[in-house]
Amino acid sequence: PMAAEPLRSRSFAPEFDVLSGYRAHYPQTVFPVVEFGSDFWDFSHVPRRPAHLTAGLLTTDFTSIPEAELRLAAKELTAALLCPTHPRVREVINRRARPLPIGVVYQRTVALRTFFRWMSEHGLHSLSEVEQEHCDAFLLLQRERGLIPNSVRPFVWLLREFADYRPVLTSTY
C-alpha cells in the first residue's frame, strides 16, 4: 500500500521560512532558516533569545501530534503567530503586530498537544468538529484540575487564536 500524501497548507508552502517574520522585524539580525514543511522546528540557534531557555524548550516536534490534520493546524497557527506580515496572516483582523516570542512557542505547543489530546479522548479528530460547548468543557476541565487562572490563560488564548486565525488555517472550526 502507498503512503498517504501529506496534507498541504493552503497558506504556507513547505519551503516557507517560519522565521521570516523575525527577519522582517529585526533586519540587522541573522536568523537560521526553519522550513514550514519540516515537522521538527529548531529555534536553538535563534539570536537574542532568553538565556534561561534550554535547547529542549527551543525545539518543537510536531510529530507528537498524531493526527495529520491537527498537526497541520498546529504548524499553521504557530507559523502565523511567528510571521504577522505573511500575506494570508494580514487577512486576520486580530493578528499579532509582532512575531510571537521564541520562548512562547514551546508553551503554545504544549497547550496545542493538551487540547488535541483532549479532543481525541472526546472523539473529535478535526477542528471542524469543535463547537463552543467543547471549548467550554475543555476550559472547565483545566480549572477543575486545580490550575490557577494564570495557568488556564494559555488555553484560552489558544482557543481564541484558532478562531481569530481562521483565514490562515486549512481546516477550521
Side-chain angles (χ1 to χ4, degrees):
M2 291 180 46
E5 182 78 18
L7 295 177
R8 293 191 54 100
S9 172
R10 68 182 181 135
S11 298
F12 301 101
E15 65 277 0
F16 175 73
D17 179 13
V18 299
L19 289 177
S20 60
Y22 270 81
R23 266 187 213 83
H25 202 77
Y26 304 104
Q28 278 71 33
T29 307
V30 176
F31 292 93
V33 173
V34 178
E35 291 188 348
F36 179 83
S38 173
D39 283 333
F40 185 79
W41 295 1
D42 183 357
F43 301 116
S44 62
H45 300 291
V46 169
R48 301 172 61 174
R49 61 182 167 76
H52 71 277
L53 294 175
T54 64
L57 298 178
L58 292 166
T59 55
T60 301
D61 183 1
F62 289 102
T63 62
S64 63
I65 301 170
E67 289 88 1
E69 183 179 323
L70 297 178
R71 184 178 326 116
L72 178 62
K75 290 170 66 173
E76 289 173 323
L77 179 61
T78 306
L81 294 170
L82 287 168
C83 192
T85 58
H86 183 279
R88 288 301 294 260
V89 178
R90 286 185 180 159
E91 297 174 26
V92 175
I93 294 169
N94 295 325
R95 75 178 184 277
R96 294 182 57 85
R98 299 174 62 146
L100 184 72
I102 292 296
V104 179
V105 172
Y106 177 80
Q107 294 169 353
R108 282 297 200 290
T109 306
V110 169
L112 284 162
R113 281 195 306 254
T114 302
F115 179 59
F116 291 157
R117 186 172 34 252
W118 180 89
M119 282 178 58
S120 180
E121 290 168 358
H122 289 82
L124 303 169
H125 303 286
S126 170
L127 288 175
S128 63
E129 299 173 292
V130 176
E131 302 284 337
Q132 182 63 47
E133 63 199 40
H134 299 117
C135 297
D136 295 342
F138 173 74
L139 292 174
L140 179 62
L141 176 66
Q142 301 315 307
R143 286 193 281 280
E144 288 173 350
R145 287 180 44 219
L147 296 181
I148 60 172
N150 281 348
S151 298
V152 175
R153 188 173 298 138
F155 296 111
V156 175
W157 286 335
L158 173 69
L159 297 176
R160 288 186 63 191
E161 286 166 347
F162 272 126
D164 289 345
Y165 283 82
R166 249 182 231 176
V168 177
L169 303 176
T170 300
S171 171
T172 62
Y173 76 111

